[in-house]
Amino acid sequence: EGPRGAAAPEEEDDEPGDPEEEEDEEEEDEPDPEAPENGSLPRFAPRFNFTLKDLTRFVDFNIKGRDVIVFLHIQKTGGTTFGRHLVKNIRLEQPCSCKAGQKKCTCHRPGKKETWLFSRFSTGWSCGLHADWTELTNCVPAIMEKKDCPRNHSHTRNFYYITMLRDPVSRYLSEWKHVQRGATWKTSLHMCDGRSPTPDELPTCYPGDDWSGVSLREFMDCSYNLANNRQVRMLADLSLVGCYNLTFMNESERNTILLQSAKNNLKNMAFFGLTEFQRKTQFLFERTFNLKFISPFTQFNITRASNVEINEGARQRIEELNFLDMKLYEYAKDLFQQRYHHTKQLEHQRDRQKRREERRLQREHRGHQWPKEDGAAEGTVTEDYNSQVVRW
């Protein structure tokens, strides 16, 4: 990633022609591996201990009030597709207004000119291009206060952070292919503790305007490539480790703090999804926010990353370069699956309770039916209406 500009424009393209629009790289619609008809998956065995609070995610999202969903968009995690779902595919009383030829949609609350969604496709890159957790949490409240109507400032505002994660090897290969095609995110601000990093703190991996044509070996050999452990860095509170100043503490301590911070922030977010589990991601989002999508999510398994053939040595090297992301993803996948199974279980319990209640009401209804008069033919009326009223 190259030198940073003074500010990132809201409509900053990720590269000329905006190949970021290709981010999700779907090329072929494959059968969903999560679907029962495609064979049963191995039984899920939890590996981490989570509390009931960690697993229970039901947000009382007040779209008519001042609540805001904030989408933290990590590069190459399927965030472009998910971001479009947010502005174009949610069933709302007042849907987002998306005009042809415009990247941003207007997502106003019902009857108000205030936005309920902070994301690339609604507010633009208002806190910088692909702003991370450190940047968003320090920037979003102030930005939203400026956008909001002053008369509403007395009401409480809740910010509900959401994100998408992806298998680290696939994500890394996808980023390499993206950069190889000429992508840069050099206008990203990387703000932390009130400033962007210096060129010494965050050097560039290439001398020119971009890194077009870079080989995988060259990509992996740049030790300060921000593709390495990107998901951990973008989810952690960087102020805990001196931001981008690598001399602030030793590397081992820095890595431990970054990983734990990323885990905590992810766990405490209102919602996160996994690129590899689109249907479950949709299910958990709908249950978390009590919002429904119009069209179902599609699982795409043929991507640019999946089309890259690498040997076992290269894969092992990528895993080593992304060892923090590997640990985070293991944790995230376990939490995601546990949340899914917990939510499904609660739903089944509610359904069983509902069916039991319906059967109870049916039994009571049958018990209060009047017996037929002796000798009355099936379906005939034995009393006129007035005499029935008197008896009641």
Side-chain angles (χ1 to χ4, degrees), residues 1 14 20 23 70-80 118 120 125 127-138 140 161-166 171-172 175 184-185 187-192 202 225-241 243-244 254-255 257-267 269 271-272 322 324-326 328-329:
E1 300 188 15
D14 292 332
E20 177 74 6
E23 174 168 319
V70 183
F71 179 34
L72 194 166
H73 183 170
I74 300 172
Q75 289 95 317
K76 317 313 296 174
T77 58
T80 297
F118 190 100
R120 170 193 181 184
W125 302 114
C127 289
L129 182 62
H130 284 287
D132 57 27
W133 189 93
T134 306
E135 293 175 292
L136 289 175
T137 53
N138 284 282
V140 171
Y161 285 82
I162 65 175
T163 196
M164 290 289 293
L165 293 183
R166 185 179 181 183
R171 199 214 65 79
Y172 187 86
E175 180 163 341
T184 72
W185 295 285
T187 54
S188 294
L189 301 177
H190 304 298
M191 289 290 288
C192 181
L202 191 56
N225 189 344
L226 288 180
N228 300 342
N229 295 310
R230 180 181 287 282
Q231 294 179 103
V232 163
R233 192 185 64 258
M234 290 187 68
L235 288 173
D237 181 355
L238 299 181
S239 64
L240 297 175
V241 294
C243 301
Y244 293 86
R254 177 184 175 88
N255 288 339
I257 293 173
L258 282 175
L259 179 59
Q260 191 57 51
S261 176
K263 285 181 176 180
N264 290 339
N265 291 337
L266 184 74
K267 181 179 68 176
M269 280 184 168
F271 163 84
F272 71 88
N322 293 274
L324 295 178
D325 272 12
M326 296 295 291
L328 175 67
Y329 190 75

Side-chain angles (χ1 to χ4, degrees), residues 11 27 51 222 374 386 392:
E11 281 291 8
E27 295 179 356
T51 66
C222 180
D374 290 340
N386 287 333
W392 292 341

Side-chain angles (χ1 to χ4, degrees), residues 44-50 330 334 338:
F44 170 65
R47 298 187 60 185
F48 294 87
N49 292 321
F50 294 106
E330 179 188 27
D334 194 83
Q338 287 199 47

Side-chain angles (χ1 to χ4, degrees), residues 49-258:
N49 292 321
F50 294 106
T51 66
L52 196 59
K53 182 182 177 183
D54 295 334
L55 301 181
T56 307
R57 280 292 181 274
F58 300 113
V59 171
D60 185 18
F61 181 63
N62 185 4
I63 196 170
K64 295 182 178 181
R66 299 188 73 218
D67 292 353
V68 178
I69 292 176
V70 183
F71 179 34
L72 194 166
H73 183 170
I74 300 172
Q75 289 95 317
K76 317 313 296 174
T77 58
T80 297
T81 292
F82 185 75
R84 288 200 183 102
H85 280 306
L86 294 177
V87 297
K88 294 183 177 181
N89 193 28
I90 298 181
R91 197 179 305 279
L92 296 170
E93 178 183 333
Q94 182 173 321
C96 296
S97 174
C98 302
K99 296 179 181 178
Q102 294 185 5
K103 289 184 183 176
K104 290 192 293 185
C105 303
T106 302
C107 297
H108 282 161
R109 306 181 192 282
K112 299 179 181 178
K113 291 187 175 180
E114 301 165 8
T115 186
W116 56 269
L117 175 65
F118 190 100
S119 74
R120 170 193 181 184
F121 291 125
S122 55
T123 54
W125 302 114
S126 300
C127 289
L129 182 62
H130 284 287
D132 57 27
W133 189 93
T134 306
E135 293 175 292
L136 289 175
T137 53
N138 284 282
C139 166
V140 171
I143 292 287
M144 293 307 298
E145 287 303 305
K146 290 178 183 176
K147 291 179 181 290
D148 209 346
C149 296
R151 59 185 172 82
N152 283 338
H153 287 186
S154 59
H155 297 98
T156 303
R157 189 198 294 282
N158 296 308
F159 294 104
Y160 296 109
Y161 285 82
I162 65 175
T163 196
M164 290 289 293
L165 293 183
R166 185 179 181 183
D167 165 70
V169 175
S170 297
R171 199 214 65 79
Y172 187 86
L173 288 170
S174 179
E175 180 163 341
W176 162 56
K177 297 299 289 184
H178 200 50
V179 170
Q180 191 182 57
R181 298 194 302 274
T184 72
W185 295 285
K186 57 188 177 186
T187 54
S188 294
L189 301 177
H190 304 298
M191 289 290 288
C192 181
D193 284 352
R195 67 175 181 88
S196 291
T198 66
D200 287 337
E201 290 173 331
L202 191 56
T204 59
C205 286
Y206 51 89
D209 292 333
D210 58 43
W211 212 1
S212 297
V214 60
S215 69
L216 180 57
R217 181 177 291 277
E218 289 174 315
F219 195 74
M220 292 190 294
D221 284 347
C222 180
S223 60
Y224 29 83
N225 189 344
L226 288 180
N228 300 342
N229 295 310
R230 180 181 287 282
Q231 294 179 103
V232 163
R233 192 185 64 258
M234 290 187 68
L235 288 173
D237 181 355
L238 299 181
S239 64
L240 297 175
V241 294
C243 301
Y244 293 86
N245 179 8
L246 299 183
T247 64
F248 186 78
M249 62 177 62
N250 68 62
E251 185 180 2
S252 176
E253 185 182 4
R254 177 184 175 88
N255 288 339
T256 300
I257 293 173
L258 282 175

